[in-house]
Amino acid sequence: MPDVFSGILGQPKVRDFLRSVVAHGRIGQSYLFTGPAGSNKTLAAYALAQAVICEDGVCGTCDACKRVSRRKHPDVRYFEPEGAGGYLVEQIREIVGDVGLAPIQASSKVYIIDRVDLLGVQAANAFLKTLEEPPANVVFILLGRTQASVLPTIVSRCQVVPFRHIPQSEACGIVCQNSGATPLQAAVAIQACSGSISKAIEFVRSTERFSFRLRVMQVMESLELADDLDVLEFAAELIERAQAPLDLVRKTQEEELAASAEFMAQSAIRQVEARNKRALSAKSAESLRQITAIMRSWLRDVLVVCSMRPELVINQDMAEGIGNAASKTSAPQVVRALSALDETDEAFRYNVSPETCIDVLLYQIREELYGSHSARAAAI
Ligand SMILES: [Zn+2]
């Protein structure tokens, strides 16, 4: 029978473990979920949060359960690093201060703390005492890439739940099953979402995301003949389209705040505003990373064609443009273009303006792939 844990796709052991913990009423207070990006840790964390918050036997359908799964419950808080290099000590102090406060709607509170592998020694020290002796109504779910990358002082205070890497072919099958997508669409979506199955399922359901992917790939195809002004225009267009869904998020935030503002103290309103702002910038970084993920997927395909393995192309609907690019460049050049993408992802973390990042990136990719003596120069 489907339950709140059914959605943790590709992780049967984790699913069984969480079900049994809940069935026996033995939910612990500090968990560390470890696993690579795309292994469904965040989804599992929210499912466990439902089990903590629901007062109706983990029903998945009551108002509280729905709020948790929509990530809107005030007693289920999600944190990710806000500093360029990881968590800021102030951020951890905010969490520690918040832990002592009473829940707002439920009788318990859940803190989902993502990327604890980016928790430095100083920030971790500010957190240890709280993690060791949390108030009785608080559950911590920490998420990290590998157990080895998390500070031992943190690991030793948590129950570690390992998530497996989901192989590409299995991930494709899961996305097809859960979205009705064709295997090709599923493979394309998984690449565009940097391997995340749950994001890939959302992606294939959205025609708008699919047309965005198409446009990013068309831009990549056009780079060879693009002049500097074209590149600037491409960058502006991609950013505008990537950020379009944010307007909706901003509007929803404003409406929700307006609806509850008259019952809230000024200080609480400021807190919600600050949290909304952070949520918005996290969403913005995510949408920018989608541009680079799609570019990476396209370049990867160019690379396999350069390496004489065209049968490994994933974006088969774009095979013609990919083959054309491969005929004009070489594997080492594509590898250099790929590393430019990694640098850009890094730059997003440092709050460099997205326009600048994408401009520079497109110039770099053009130069790496086609050099300065490209057909563009010959055409002039
Ligand atoms: Zn419920």
Side-chain angles (χ1 to χ4, degrees):
M1 208 177 75
D3 61 12
V4 296
F5 300 112
S6 309
I8 311 173
L9 304 167
Q11 301 291 352
K13 280 191 182 157
V14 173
R15 239 169 15 218
D16 290 349
F17 168 74
L18 293 177
R19 276 184 185 135
S20 113
V21 161
V22 171
H24 294 95
R26 283 206 304 259
I27 302 181
Q29 286 200 268
S30 339
Y31 289 96
L32 170 61
F33 289 1
T34 59
S39 53
N40 265 334
K41 301 187 296 293
T42 314
L43 201 107
Y46 277 95
L48 182 57
Q50 282 180 310
V52 174
I53 297 290
C54 179
E55 311 213 324
D56 203 12
V58 206
C59 66
T61 52
C62 69
D63 188 48
C65 278
K66 282 189 197 150
R67 275 171 191 262
V68 174
S69 73
R70 288 206 315 266
R71 306 187 180 184
K72 293 267 187 225
H73 198 292
D75 295 315
V76 178
R77 304 276 308 270
Y78 173 87
F79 293 87
E80 60 186 341
E82 283 169 14
Y87 276 96
L88 305 170
V89 179
E90 299 95 275
Q91 245 187 306
I92 299 301
R93 295 218 176 96
E94 189 200 323
I95 298 175
V96 168
D98 194 86
V99 165
L101 306 175
I104 296 171
Q105 283 176 356
S107 49
S108 303
K109 295 200 289 181
V110 179
Y111 291 83
I112 300 172
I113 305 181
D114 205 351
R115 295 305 305 268
V116 287
D117 42 318
L118 298 177
L119 193 58
V121 175
Q122 224 193 337
N125 284 342
F127 186 45
L128 288 182
K129 201 170 166 335
T130 305
L131 184 62
E132 194 159 62
E133 292 169 350
N137 60 349
V138 166
V139 174
F140 287 110
I141 308 172
L142 314 184
L143 314 179
R145 293 285 161 90
T146 62
Q147 183 171 329
S149 61
V150 179
L151 288 169
T153 46
I154 298 285
V155 176
S156 65
R157 286 167 173 81
C158 296
Q159 182 165 8
V160 180
V161 183
F163 284 58
R164 63 193 268 269
H165 166 73
I166 304 171
Q168 167 84 13
S169 58
E170 191 185 332
C172 264
I174 294 173
V175 172
C176 293
Q177 248 175 35
N178 287 277
S179 65
T182 64
L184 169 63
Q185 286 170 331
V188 160
I190 290 169
Q191 288 262 318
C193 298
S194 309
S196 164
I197 292 178
S198 36
K199 287 191 187 133
I201 291 173
E202 269 173 50
F203 189 97
V204 291
R205 285 179 178 152
S206 157
T207 46
E208 173 217 327
R209 294 281 90 188
F210 244 92
S211 80
F212 177 65
R213 161 192 168 269
L214 183 68
R215 186 60 192 140
V216 175
M217 295 204 166
Q218 284 169 345
V219 165
M220 296 299 274
E221 286 177 359
S222 315
L223 273 186
E224 188 202 353
L225 296 173
D227 63 26
D228 291 357
L229 195 61
D230 293 333
V231 170
L232 284 178
E233 280 171 8
F234 285 152
E237 183 199 336
L238 293 186
I239 287 166
E240 193 187 321
R241 289 186 63 163
Q243 307 275 37
L246 295 184
D247 293 338
L248 192 67
V249 176
R250 196 177 292 119
K251 200 164 155 258
T252 317
Q253 283 182 347
E254 281 165 8
E255 282 168 4
E256 283 176 359
L257 188 61
S260 50
E262 60 177 302
F263 310 107
M264 289 164 74
Q266 271 305 318
S267 60
I269 293 179
R270 274 197 299 276
Q271 246 186 29
V272 173
E273 280 171 343
R275 195 182 307 161
N276 282 351
K277 209 172 145 206
R278 287 201 296 263
L280 205 60
S281 69
K283 269 252 172 280
S284 159
E286 188 184 313
S287 72
L288 292 172
R289 278 195 295 267
Q290 182 137 69
I291 300 181
T292 50
I294 294 168
M295 290 176 173
R296 187 173 285 112
S297 165
W298 187 85
L299 283 170
R300 176 217 164 266
D301 281 351
V302 175
L303 184 62
V304 299
V305 177
C306 284
S307 313
M308 306 296 169
R309 300 293 302 276
E311 73 279 9
L312 297 180
V313 166
I314 288 180
N315 298 288
Q316 283 167 28
D317 53 335
M318 310 302 283
E320 197 184 323
I322 286 164
N324 182 46
S327 70
K328 307 272 170 59
T329 188
S330 68
Q333 288 171 285
V334 181
V335 170
R336 285 203 297 273
L338 280 164
S339 60
L341 280 176
D342 296 338
E343 284 162 24
T344 305
D345 280 340
E346 194 61 24
F348 289 149
R349 297 181 60 84
Y350 286 86
N351 289 328
V352 182
S353 102
E355 284 80 4
T356 311
C357 288
I358 300 289
D359 283 349
V360 171
L361 175 64
L362 288 175
Y363 285 125
Q364 267 182 318
I365 294 176
R366 189 184 66 183
E367 294 307 309
E368 295 297 1
L369 292 184
Y370 309 112
S372 39
H373 302 289
S374 63
R376 164 171 45 92
I380 293 168

